[in-house]
Amino acid sequence: MYEGRIIEWPLSDNMHHQWLLLAACFWVIFMFMVASKFITLTFKDPDGYSAKQEFVFLTTMPEAEKLRGEKHFPEVPKPTGKMLSDSRPDQPPVYLERLELIRNTCKEEALRNLSHTEVSKFVLDRIFVCDKHKILFCQTPKVGNTQWKKVLIVLNGAFSSIEEIPENVVHDHEKNGLPRLSSFSKIGIQKRLKTYFKFFIVRDPFERLISAFKDKFVHNPRFEPWYRHEIAPGIIRKYRKNRTETRGIQFEDFVRYLGDPNRRWLDLQFGDHIIHWVTYVELCAPCEIKYSVVGHHETLEADAPYILKEAGIDHLVSYPTIPPGITMYNRTKVEQYFLGISKRDIRRLYARFEGDFKLFGYQKPDFLLN
């Protein structure tokens, strides 16, 4: 009898432990479900990022909580002047200041002939279209445009990555899949100009002219013989002072041609090749077309990612790596190229490009003019 009771006690004790263990398991499962639901509700990625990115976000939660609601951008030059009244709190003021400067300069009657132009086929030919992402890009040669073309080519689906695009395809408009705005109907053009994200890039006007001269008349890396064999001789015949000089085209010849108010007949002969040195006004009509962003070559490291973000494509493509120092303004180079050129010729050149200097906030080159 005692032996039977001795046997019952361990069995009863085992049953008790089993029930406790089962209850503990249910409690753990319940707490795990509650915790999972809390994490899902609290940290669900609104942009649908990958699980790996979400994990990183969770592991850095204290910093994320600290910065919640804030948006950070690369450093950009500090703007001057009055802030736009309709600016967004998450938009760096320097970009708004640039647009405000354009609007104000466009209103200056004294600069009207240098800041306004007709939105002609010549302008529409400069604007490339990405309908898939509703983007318009106005080409301003010698300001890193090749890289922006690559970005649009990828977005349009012609190639899956920038690295895959052959260099000879970028500027071949029959192969690169970049339609020009001029190829659409009048209604289609107006609709896109009104509703699409629009941008272009500028750089110091005189430094851009130096780049154009070097690229087309000195190095000519894409082997475009018409610049040396057709355009250069035309400029030399018209503008070279020393007729006995037998050297190829010099920068002084180029400056004298560009500063001549009566150069139009020569421009007509050169055709669309002049896009490499005409003004930004003639290329993109910034007083007639309301652009979303105007980037500057000198701050491209900050401007490129900002433009991609504002266009809503930063998760699809990246701007190619920018070599260190390549975008910096080089005053020494400018001084060297203009050395020996008469003040009269430099002043005439500035008179033509004054609209570009003032519209985009570039300092008047008094070190060359005075």
Side-chain angles (χ1 to χ4, degrees), residues 122 231 265-275 277-278:
F122 181 82
I231 295 177
W265 68 272
L266 207 53
D267 285 349
L268 291 173
Q269 293 182 43
F270 297 158
D272 279 0
H273 299 308
I274 64 173
I275 66 172
W277 51 76
V278 298

Side-chain angles (χ1 to χ4, degrees), residues 32-217:
F32 177 79
M33 291 175 64
V34 170
S36 299
K37 187 67 175 177
F38 176 78
I39 292 173
T40 302
L41 290 173
T42 307
F43 301 113
K44 185 178 180 182
D45 185 357
D47 296 319
Y49 290 146
S50 66
K52 181 179 179 181
Q53 289 170 309
E54 184 171 332
F55 175 75
V56 172
F57 179 77
L58 288 172
T59 57
T60 57
M61 184 180 67
E63 187 67 14
E65 288 291 338
K66 178 182 177 182
L67 302 178
R68 180 171 291 173
E70 295 181 20
K71 296 188 178 181
H72 293 267
F73 299 88
E75 286 188 14
V76 292
K78 293 182 180 180
T80 57
K82 184 181 177 183
M83 181 78 171
L84 285 179
S85 58
D86 60 348
S87 61
R88 300 202 317 265
D90 63 341
Q91 191 171 20
V94 65
Y95 301 107
L96 297 169
E97 290 286 343
R98 290 174 183 173
L99 297 178
E100 184 181 39
L101 176 61
I102 292 171
R103 282 196 292 269
N104 291 338
T105 307
C106 289
K107 295 175 185 176
E108 293 187 27
E109 201 61 35
L111 288 173
R112 186 166 185 82
N113 290 337
L114 297 172
S115 60
H116 289 262
T117 191
E118 179 187 359
V119 184
S120 61
K121 184 178 183 301
F122 181 82
V123 172
L124 298 175
D125 278 345
R126 310 281 76 79
I127 300 177
F128 295 101
V129 181
C130 176
D131 276 332
K132 185 176 181 181
H133 299 283
K134 297 186 176 182
I135 297 171
L136 300 180
F137 166 62
C138 184
Q139 177 190 21
T140 50
K142 314 282 44 93
V143 192
N145 280 256
T146 297
Q147 306 306 327
W148 284 110
K149 280 187 177 181
K150 290 179 180 179
V151 168
L152 293 182
I153 288 169
V154 171
L155 290 174
N156 278 349
F159 291 86
S160 58
S161 71
I162 286 174
E163 292 73 25
E164 294 178 13
I165 306 172
E167 287 299 320
N168 64 320
V169 170
V170 178
H171 302 288
D172 188 334
H173 300 297
E174 293 182 0
K175 297 179 180 178
N176 64 19
L178 292 180
R180 299 173 189 262
L181 190 55
S182 58
S183 66
F184 296 90
S185 67
K186 185 176 180 180
I187 294 176
I189 291 170
Q190 292 174 344
K191 177 184 176 182
R192 287 169 176 81
L193 284 174
K194 184 177 181 181
T195 61
Y196 280 20
F197 177 86
K198 301 172 288 294
F199 77 100
F200 67 100
I201 314 295
V202 297
R203 73 188 293 187
D204 177 86
F206 280 6
E207 195 170 37
R208 172 176 170 253
L209 295 180
I210 293 171
S211 178
F213 178 79
K214 289 169 59 180
D215 184 61
K216 299 305 175 188
F217 299 111

Side-chain angles (χ1 to χ4, degrees), residues 200-342:
F200 67 100
I201 314 295
V202 297
R203 73 188 293 187
D204 177 86
F206 280 6
E207 195 170 37
R208 172 176 170 253
L209 295 180
I210 293 171
S211 178
F213 178 79
K214 289 169 59 180
D215 184 61
K216 299 305 175 188
F217 299 111
V218 180
H219 304 305
N220 201 242
R222 290 201 294 273
F223 187 66
E224 299 164 312
W226 48 87
Y227 287 102
R228 287 181 181 174
H229 301 316
E230 297 176 24
I231 295 177
I235 293 174
I236 291 172
R237 281 193 300 269
K238 171 75 174 173
Y239 297 101
R240 177 155 293 179
K241 287 183 176 180
N242 185 358
R243 297 295 180 177
T244 63
E245 175 63 68
T246 58
R247 290 185 301 170
I249 187 170
Q250 302 297 299
F251 190 63
E252 181 180 10
D253 306 320
F254 190 54
V255 167
R256 198 170 294 117
Y257 150 61
L258 293 176
D260 182 8
N262 301 312
R263 71 189 177 280
R264 294 294 182 183
W265 68 272
L266 207 53
D267 285 349
L268 291 173
Q269 293 182 43
F270 297 158
D272 279 0
H273 299 308
I274 64 173
I275 66 172
H276 298 280
W277 51 76
V278 298
T279 65
Y280 300 127
V281 170
E282 294 169 280
L283 290 169
C284 298
C287 288
E288 285 67 39
I289 297 174
K290 187 177 181 182
Y291 286 91
S292 312
V293 177
V294 175
H296 282 219
H297 186 259
E298 293 82 3
T299 54
L300 195 58
E301 290 86 349
D303 291 2
Y306 174 76
I307 290 169
L308 295 176
K309 183 179 183 301
E310 286 295 292
I313 55 174
D314 55 323
H315 62 295
L316 299 174
V317 66
S318 298
Y319 189 84
T321 302
I322 303 170
I326 197 171
T327 63
M328 291 178 60
Y329 173 72
N330 190 335
R331 173 170 167 164
T332 301
K333 178 179 68 175
V334 173
E335 289 177 325
Q336 288 174 346
Y337 266 84
F338 281 91
L339 186 66
I341 299 178
S342 71

